[in-house]
């Protein structure tokens, strides 16, 4: 039985010095949900980094100046009149179309990339294992999903850096520092530990603080799911290599039995 020809038309991964995009199956509804939580996150999960980063920065800019987060806080407290006063309606009308576009586009892209993944599987597309250049090295390796989660729980972005996904990792780290600084989260945490709950509450900037939960839980989820998928890709590459170089061409398995 002749060996199946490997296609170079649909590669499964790209081992760059700044990131490791991987093609794999994704749940389009889950991707759309992350875009609901924070515009751009769905695209980042898909590896659409430029579009995702632009949407994330747009969300920070337009949300900060339209005061959507502050309006949400007051509405949760039942103070509807104050919520109406703080929100800039003119900017809000710019916010909504881009927000819904991010949800729709991430869902559509997830469906398309799932089709591309199925084609790459059918064509036995190649998997890159090493990238070595004068300024650095990146390689496909198995890593622990639990370790990735723990680092992300400690400081958002460290799970991505652990996977050698530096572009997204450092971008997330910078914005996490900005959000923590302007929300006064660390100050509030210190006062809370000291038992001064009133001062802890008063020092918080809720407009900035509402950015933090989405960032925090997104990095944990992203670190876990990408570690699992990179590990699957590593196993696939090892299996393909061993089959191609060490398995007899006449070797085949039928209904769970080895046929020689």
């Amino acid at each position: 039985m002749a060996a199946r020809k490997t296609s170079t038309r649909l590669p499964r991964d790209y081992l760059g010095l700044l990131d490791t995009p991987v093609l794999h199956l994704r749940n389009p509804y889950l991707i759309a949900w992350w875009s609901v939580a924070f515009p751009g996150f769905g695209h980042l999960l898909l590896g659409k980094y430029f579009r995702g980063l632009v949407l994330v920065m747009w969300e920070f800019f337009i949300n900060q100046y339209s005061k959507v987060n502050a309006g949400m806080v007051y509405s949760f407290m039942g103070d509807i009149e104050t919520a109406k006063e703080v929100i800039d309606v003119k900017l809000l009308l710019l916010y909504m179309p881009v927000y819904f576009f991010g949800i729709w586009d991430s869902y559509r892209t997830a469906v398309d990339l799932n089709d591309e993944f199925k084609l790459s599987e059918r064509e036995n597309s190649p998997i890159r294992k090493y990238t070595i250049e004068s300024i650095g090295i990146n390689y496909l390796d198995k890593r622990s999903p639990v370790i990735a989660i723990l680092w992300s729980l400690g400081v958002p972005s460290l799970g991505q850096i652990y996977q050698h996904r530096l572009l997204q990792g450092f971008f997330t780290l910078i914005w996490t520092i900005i959000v923590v600084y302007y929300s006064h989260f660390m100050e509030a945490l210190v006062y809370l530990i000291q038992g001064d709950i009133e001062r802890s509450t008063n020092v918080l900037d809720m407009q900035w603080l509402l950015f933090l939960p989405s960032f925090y839980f997104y990095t944990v989820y992203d670190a876990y799911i990408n570690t699992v998928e990179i590990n699957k890709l590593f196993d696939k590459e090892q299996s393909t290599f061993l089959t191609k170089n060490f398995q007899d061409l006449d070797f085949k398995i039928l209904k769970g039995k080895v046929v020689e």
Side-chain angles (χ1 to χ4, degrees), residues 170-238:
F170 285 119
F171 175 85
T172 306
L173 178 61
I174 290 170
W175 276 107
T176 299
I177 293 172
I178 292 173
V179 171
V180 168
Y181 178 81
Y182 283 105
S183 67
H184 303 284
F185 175 76
M186 299 307 294
E187 299 170 52
L189 182 61
V190 171
Y191 292 136
L192 182 63
I193 293 173
Q194 294 175 348
D196 193 344
I197 298 177
E198 182 177 358
R199 192 174 183 184
S200 175
T201 304
N202 292 335
V203 77
L204 285 171
D205 186 325
M206 300 306 296
Q207 170 63 31
W208 280 97
L209 184 65
L210 257 64
F211 289 128
L212 193 58
S214 298
F215 253 81
Y216 189 77
F217 291 109
Y218 163 76
T219 56
V220 173
Y221 172 79
D222 179 68
Y224 171 79
I225 200 69
N226 276 283
T227 302
V228 170
E229 294 301 333
I230 289 173
N231 287 348
K232 290 179 182 178
L233 199 64
F234 177 87
D235 291 337
K236 176 75 173 178
E237 193 278 335
Q238 288 288 303

Side-chain angles (χ1 to χ4, degrees), residues 9-244:
R9 182 168 176 256
L10 296 167
R12 289 282 302 277
D13 67 334
Y14 175 79
L15 291 181
L17 295 179
L18 295 178
D19 221 311
T20 310
V22 173
L23 193 64
H24 62 88
L25 286 176
R26 299 169 174 91
N27 185 332
Y29 294 103
L30 191 57
I31 296 297
W33 185 90
W34 278 111
S35 292
V36 172
F38 204 104
F41 281 176
H43 291 85
L44 293 178
L45 285 169
L46 295 171
K48 305 282 286 187
Y49 294 129
F50 180 77
R51 194 177 306 180
L53 297 181
V54 168
L55 286 172
V56 168
M57 290 187 289
W58 168 258
E59 167 67 13
F60 273 114
F61 170 79
I62 199 71
N63 194 317
Q64 181 63 23
Y65 284 97
S66 65
K67 302 298 180 183
V68 170
N69 283 352
M72 290 173 59
V73 172
Y74 287 120
S75 64
F76 292 156
M77 295 168 60
D79 192 347
I80 305 300
E81 292 303 319
T82 305
K84 291 178 181 179
E85 291 176 4
V86 298
I87 291 179
D88 188 322
V89 178
K90 293 180 292 185
L91 289 176
L92 183 64
L93 294 177
L94 289 176
Y95 178 88
M96 299 307 294
V98 178
Y99 182 79
F100 289 118
F101 169 80
I103 299 170
W104 171 81
D105 189 61
S106 63
Y107 176 87
R108 176 195 63 82
T109 306
V111 173
D112 289 345
L113 288 179
N114 283 347
D115 292 338
E116 295 295 320
F117 170 79
K118 294 172 184 176
L119 289 174
S120 70
E121 282 281 278
R122 182 177 300 175
E123 296 187 8
N124 194 26
S125 296
I127 301 172
R128 296 186 64 182
K129 185 166 175 60
Y130 279 93
T131 295
I132 303 177
E133 298 183 15
S134 60
I135 60 173
I137 180 173
N138 189 9
Y139 57 94
L140 199 61
D141 190 21
K142 294 196 76 169
R143 295 175 172 88
S144 170
V146 175
I147 296 297
I149 289 176
L150 291 177
W151 279 118
S152 294
L153 288 172
V155 177
S157 77
L158 293 185
Q160 284 76 18
I161 295 174
Y162 168 65
Q163 300 164 347
H164 199 93
R165 298 169 61 224
L166 305 182
L167 179 64
Q168 186 175 167
F170 285 119
F171 175 85
T172 306
L173 178 61
I174 290 170
W175 276 107
T176 299
I177 293 172
I178 292 173
V179 171
V180 168
Y181 178 81
Y182 283 105
S183 67
H184 303 284
F185 175 76
M186 299 307 294
E187 299 170 52
L189 182 61
V190 171
Y191 292 136
L192 182 63
I193 293 173
Q194 294 175 348
D196 193 344
I197 298 177
E198 182 177 358
R199 192 174 183 184
S200 175
T201 304
N202 292 335
V203 77
L204 285 171
D205 186 325
M206 300 306 296
Q207 170 63 31
W208 280 97
L209 184 65
L210 257 64
F211 289 128
L212 193 58
S214 298
F215 253 81
Y216 189 77
F217 291 109
Y218 163 76
T219 56
V220 173
Y221 172 79
D222 179 68
Y224 171 79
I225 200 69
N226 276 283
T227 302
V228 170
E229 294 301 333
I230 289 173
N231 287 348
K232 290 179 182 178
L233 199 64
F234 177 87
D235 291 337
K236 176 75 173 178
E237 193 278 335
Q238 288 288 303
S239 175
T240 302
F241 174 78
L242 293 173
T243 301
K244 180 179 178 181

